[in-house]
Amino acid sequence: MLARRFTIVCLLMSLFGMFFAILVAEAGHSPRSWDEATRMCHLACPTNLRH
């Protein structure tokens, strides 16, 4: 019974650790170049061509 609880706790902690590692890795990335390009295009390019 104790081994089963220990296994469940270890699995939950590893899932939490992977989730936290993903969050930390995403926070450290710089914005991608195509994200900046699409953002600028939305500001400068007309999306509705029918007036």
Side-chain angles (χ1 to χ4, degrees):
M1 185 62 120
L2 184 62
R4 185 182 306 161
R5 287 183 184 170
F6 181 73
T7 303
I8 292 171
V9 168
C10 286
L11 287 173
L12 288 175
M13 290 299 290
S14 63
L15 285 174
F16 174 75
M18 285 188 276
F19 178 70
F20 189 69
I22 290 169
L23 286 178
V24 170
E26 287 295 321
H29 284 176
S30 61
R32 294 178 290 249
S33 61
W34 61 82
D35 285 344
E36 289 294 324
T38 56
R39 191 174 306 131
M40 290 304 292
C41 186
H42 284 298
L43 292 175
C45 301
T47 56
N48 186 5
L49 297 177
R50 287 191 261 167
H51 290 286

